[in-house]
């Protein structure tokens, strides 16, 4: 049962990944739908930043974590590559914690 579920999930994932390039020229979304999808992506990113910046139930987390998230958010705002934003955020947080700024 587990193997069948994993294979079904893998097949569905590959089908969705294939559908994007295959249907790009055949399927046109209305401008309103495109705008809503872009807004939805922005809201999800903002929610991710908010939940990462303010972890619940962890007590005193200092300024290192929010500073790293701000660095990553600024890089993302200026449309830098996602990998660069994530690595810069992690390095900022690590450097501040290494310097003793919790």
């Amino acid at each position: 049962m587990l193997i069948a579920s994993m294979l079904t999930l893998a097949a569905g994932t590959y089908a969705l990944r294939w559908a994007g390039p295959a249907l790009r020229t055949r399927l046109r979304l209305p401008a309103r739908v495109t705008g809503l999808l872009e807004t939805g992506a922005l809201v999800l990113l903002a929610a991710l930043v908010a939940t990462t910046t303010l972890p619940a139930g962890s007590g005193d987390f200092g300024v290192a974590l929010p500073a790293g998230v701000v660095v990553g958010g600024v890089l993302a705002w200026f449309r830098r590559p996602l990998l660069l934003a994530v690595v810069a955020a992690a390095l900022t947080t690590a450097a501040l914690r290494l310097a003793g700024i919790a």
Side-chain angles (χ1 to χ4, degrees), residues 1-15:
M1 181 69 180
L2 180 63
I3 299 293
S5 299
M6 288 173 35
L7 290 175
T8 303
L9 183 59
T13 301
Y14 284 118

Side-chain angles (χ1 to χ4, degrees), residues 25-101:
T25 59
R26 296 182 183 154
L27 182 64
R28 296 285 181 213
L29 295 176
R32 178 171 165 78
V33 173
T34 303
L36 288 173
L37 289 172
E38 289 173 357
T39 303
L42 182 63
V43 168
L44 285 174
L45 180 61
L48 178 66
V49 168
T51 57
T52 303
T53 304
L54 305 171
S58 64
D60 184 26
F61 54 88
V63 298
L65 181 61
V69 173
V70 167
V71 167
V74 167
L75 288 172
W77 182 266
F78 287 112
R79 298 183 185 266
R80 298 298 182 248
L82 179 62
L83 181 62
L84 175 67
V86 170
V87 170
L91 288 175
T92 301
T93 302
L96 288 174
R97 287 183 176 166
L98 185 64
I101 303 171

